[in-house]
Amino acid sequence: ALADDENGPYGRGREKVKMASFAAGDNSCWAPNPLPERGASYSLDSDGQWLAYGSGYAVVVREVANPTNAKVFVGHKKSVCAVKFSPDCKILATGDTGGTLRMWEA
């Protein structure tokens, strides 16, 4: 389960991302948890394979073809409001409402 602690709403990054599938006829709809927030920044890598978005103090990177495959990066002390992949897709830059910029190996 996703836990709240002094490091933000997703603990220290050890928790796993959960997904729920809702079948609708021949189609499936995947509900992400953690959820993206209203007004959150999104970034799609240049290959269109990975989608990154802010969710509270965390950054979620989810595979487009297989949305159950996801990584969560935790370290911001304020809500994430900016997310952008580098042109070579090796680095993910994120910013929070406190003005902190972080770089992650994507």
Side-chain angles (χ1 to χ4, degrees):
L2 297 175
D4 285 320
D5 71 9
E6 69 279 359
N7 294 305
Y10 305 109
R12 297 182 182 177
R14 293 184 298 246
E15 295 81 9
K16 294 187 178 185
V17 173
K18 296 180 181 181
M19 295 291 290
S21 173
F22 305 96
D26 294 329
N27 299 324
S28 291
C29 176
W30 293 92
N33 183 10
L35 297 170
E37 294 182 359
R38 180 184 297 197
S41 178
Y42 297 85
S43 183
L44 191 62
D45 75 348
S46 61
D47 297 331
Q49 294 180 1
W50 295 94
L51 175 69
Y53 60 89
S55 180
Y57 302 156
V59 178
V60 180
V61 180
R62 194 173 297 286
E63 187 176 16
V64 173
N66 179 12
T68 59
N69 186 14
K71 299 182 242 180
V72 177
F73 298 100
V74 178
H76 284 284
K77 302 217 184 301
K78 301 281 184 176
S79 292
V80 175
C81 61
V83 179
K84 183 69 176 166
F85 280 103
S86 65
D88 65 2
C89 303
K90 292 182 180 181
I91 302 293
L92 179 65
T94 62
D96 65 29
T97 57
T100 300
L101 177 66
R102 290 191 173 269
M103 309 291 255
W104 312 89
E105 288 185 25

